Amino acid sequence: MAGSALRRLMAEYRQLTLNPPEGIVAGPISEDNFFEWEALIAGPEGTCFEGGVFPAKLVFPPDYPLSPPKMKFTCEMFHPNIFADGRVCISILHAPGDDPMGYELSAERWSPVQSVEKILLSVVSMLAEPNDESGANVDAAIMWRDNREEFNKIARRIVRKTLGLPS
Amino acid sequence: MDQTEETDAVNRDELIMQQQRQIEKEISDTIPLVSEEQPVDSLNNEYMGDDVYGSKVRDLAAKYRAIRRTRPDGNCFFRAFAYSYLEYLAGHKEDYDAFKELALKSKDKLVALGFPQFTLEDFHDTFMEVIEHVSPGENDKQELHKLFNAQGYSDYVVVYLRLITSGQVQEGADFYQNFIDGNCTIQEFRHQEVEPMYKESDHIHIIALCSALNVGVRVEYMDRGEGGQVKAHDFPEGTDPKVYLLYRPGHYDILYPN
């Protein structure tokens, strides 16, 4: 089983290297282990995360792509759909039925024809448009809704931090 | 909810999911993906002293010579169907050739219906490889059984049949919409109930797969209902079945007629 997962991950890596989507770099941390990837995601333009480069780690299960990977930002993050420990909480990372956040029926779910690229593109959209209905970070969700100015300020500080600039 | 409660809630979800995985692992450690043929009356072991099921097992045993069990992992319909149909095709060259042609063309059809070519190809390639391995000229009768108990091949065949089923539901959206309950669109149904692994199948999956592949399936229903006999249902109605399955609430196994 891990054989087909490895074959698929190698193909996805090749694809992402040949045709990288804008603002996304991703690949295995070490060529010895294709089941752990690092991704760098550029904050989408025109949003409070613009200019930042956010590192994240993806861990793939042995039965990938039947089951989805897990994804976790490794930098400080403050966002309604990212847990305090960095774990990303969006519907595409969950199969239907595996539903910790009670996603809407229409939300895009994991299925074997999804891909790393689709996940990362969803994460970029999530950065641009947080979903405050399924709050992984309740404080961030409330601030996003009620005090956008303060939220933007924190986001800009995190952006500077990812670039190694003094806040 | 403060931070501690939030963390607790997350941990609880993690624990539930862990337990779920543990149960799944116990099932997969003890039950093969597809078993060897067993006598039909071996079903009695599960229904000791149960008159309703006892009489239905007798009825079933009069019509079928053997049963082949599949692992109850939510994929049982697709796995049982694929195994049984490929086994039939291995003995029928003309049907095999027609099916291979249909399978070959199915990729372009699914891409045209909007599936991403890149990820689809992976499953299609494996599907074709399996079909190739069980061609009527193949001498090793155990090949099919080996492939279907190798998770990598077996699960990929299931995925591809799910995609074909999903494509069929999409193509016949006007028809299939009638069978889907009101607050779920065709797209939602395909993405939530058909394409993901481990999701159980319903009549709509069976009808869609049978029509997409042009194969008749007979399902023998065995439940607690009255009458003392199993009830046969053919999909699509009036066709000559090539695949025989036993349905007990929540699960499909393969049957071999006398």
Side-chain angles (χ1 to χ4, degrees):
Chain A
M1 186 160 62
S4 35
L6 180 62
R7 187 182 66 219
R8 165 73 176 259
L9 285 167
M10 289 170 89
E12 289 205 48
Y13 178 42
R14 199 164 49 239
Q15 180 82 359
L16 277 167
T17 319
L18 291 173
N19 288 312
E22 211 183 310
I24 293 172
V25 183
I29 295 171
S30 142
E31 304 251 331
D32 299 334
N33 180 6
F34 263 81
F35 290 82
E36 285 189 18
W37 287 30
E38 186 177 49
L40 293 173
I41 297 172
E45 277 176 38
T47 73
C48 57
F49 293 104
E50 179 172 358
V53 177
F54 306 99
K57 197 173 159 185
L58 289 130
V59 178
F60 297 89
D63 70 342
Y64 181 80
L66 308 184
S67 303
K70 289 187 167 32
M71 181 172 174
K72 191 173 176 170
F73 279 99
T74 52
C75 60
E76 183 189 344
M77 271 302 205
F78 187 72
H79 186 284
N81 309 113
I82 303 173
F83 284 105
D85 66 359
R87 276 179 303 139
V88 178
C89 191
I90 48 172
S91 59
I92 193 173
L93 287 170
H94 294 274
D98 160 17
D99 210 351
M101 301 305 288
Y103 298 113
E104 283 172 36
L105 195 59
S106 59
E108 187 158 41
R109 295 311 194 100
W110 181 257
S111 89
V113 287
Q114 302 283 22
S115 58
V116 181
E117 180 176 347
K118 285 290 284 287
I119 291 172
L120 296 175
L121 290 172
S122 298
V123 169
V124 172
S125 314
M126 173 199 82
L127 289 177
E129 292 168 48
N131 171 9
D132 60 10
E133 296 290 305
S134 70
N137 182 334
V138 177
D139 296 339
I142 292 171
M143 194 183 290
W144 164 262
R145 204 170 51 221
D146 298 341
N147 191 352
R148 190 65 60 85
E149 206 174 313
E150 185 62 22
F151 184 92
N152 290 346
K153 221 162 91 185
I154 296 180
R156 279 195 300 272
R157 180 180 62 73
I158 291 172
V159 165
R160 291 180 67 81
K161 200 170 163 188
T162 67
L163 300 173
L165 299 171
S167 48
Chain B
M1 177 155 72
D2 68 22
Q3 201 69 39
T4 350
E5 281 174 45
E6 188 186 313
T7 312
D8 283 350
V10 171
N11 288 343
R12 199 171 54 237
D13 284 333
E14 284 281 312
L15 283 176
I16 292 170
M17 273 150 68
Q18 251 171 35
Q19 192 179 25
Q20 183 70 30
R21 277 191 292 271
Q22 183 60 34
I23 295 169
E24 283 161 7
K25 189 170 179 309
E26 278 168 28
I27 290 176
S28 66
D29 286 349
T30 50
I31 306 176
L33 288 169
V34 185
S35 80
E36 299 288 346
E37 282 184 30
Q38 298 169 357
V40 171
D41 60 17
S42 67
L43 285 167
N44 279 324
N45 301 335
E46 291 163 55
Y47 305 111
M48 290 291 188
D50 186 322
D51 292 344
V52 175
Y53 274 101
S55 113
K56 290 191 179 182
V57 171
R58 271 194 303 283
D59 179 44
L60 194 68
K63 297 170 185 156
Y64 294 87
R65 63 172 176 80
I67 175 177
R68 197 189 282 279
R69 292 166 191 266
T70 63
R71 184 183 293 173
D73 62 358
N75 294 317
C76 54
F77 164 70
F78 288 103
R79 209 179 311 270
F81 174 94
Y83 189 107
S84 179
Y85 190 46
L86 287 172
E87 199 172 31
Y88 163 83
L89 290 176
H92 296 81
K93 175 112 178 56
E94 217 169 286
D95 288 349
Y96 173 88
D97 290 340
F99 177 69
K100 194 169 154 186
E101 181 74 17
L102 186 154
L104 208 55
K105 286 182 178 154
S106 64
K107 186 181 84 178
D108 291 340
K109 192 169 157 187
L110 290 177
V111 170
L113 282 169
F115 285 96
Q117 172 144 8
F118 171 66
T119 45
L120 182 76
E121 242 160 37
D122 195 16
F123 300 107
H124 181 253
D125 289 352
T126 304
F127 191 67
M128 294 312 297
E129 199 185 320
V130 169
I131 294 174
E132 203 62 56
H133 271 296
V134 299
S135 72
E138 182 66 48
N139 288 322
D140 186 358
K141 292 286 172 229
Q142 276 299 306
E143 185 68 12
L144 178 71
H145 196 68
K146 275 188 250 164
L147 286 174
F148 268 74
N149 278 298
Q151 193 115 33
Y153 284 104
S154 203
D155 283 348
Y156 269 43
V157 168
V158 169
V159 170
Y160 197 68
L161 289 186
R162 284 181 176 279
L163 299 179
I164 287 181
T165 305
S166 174
Q168 182 71 22
V169 171
Q170 169 67 28
E171 252 191 330
D174 290 346
F175 171 70
Y176 292 103
Q177 183 71 65
N178 301 318
F179 302 94
I180 297 174
D181 77 54
N183 44 24
C184 181
T185 68
I186 281 281
Q187 295 304 338
E188 285 164 5
F189 182 80
R190 292 171 58 216
H191 300 327
Q192 308 269 345
E193 303 293 336
V194 184
E195 291 164 19
M197 283 297 271
Y198 317 118
K199 289 296 266 187
E200 285 181 19
S201 299
D202 213 334
H203 280 180
I204 182 166
H205 300 73
I206 306 180
I207 295 167
L209 184 61
C210 290
S211 337
L213 302 182
N214 204 12
V215 183
V217 176
R218 173 167 296 171
V219 180
E220 297 282 359
Y221 287 86
M222 187 159 92
D223 56 25
R224 202 154 278 291
E226 282 171 19
Q229 291 185 318
V230 292
K231 286 195 189 74
H233 192 122
D234 292 345
F235 300 90
E237 253 171 276
T239 49
D240 178 23
K242 301 286 189 282
V243 169
Y244 296 82
L245 303 176
L246 169 64
Y247 178 82
R248 287 174 290 161
H251 187 65
Y252 292 88
D253 292 301
I254 302 164
L255 286 171
Y256 293 88
N258 287 329

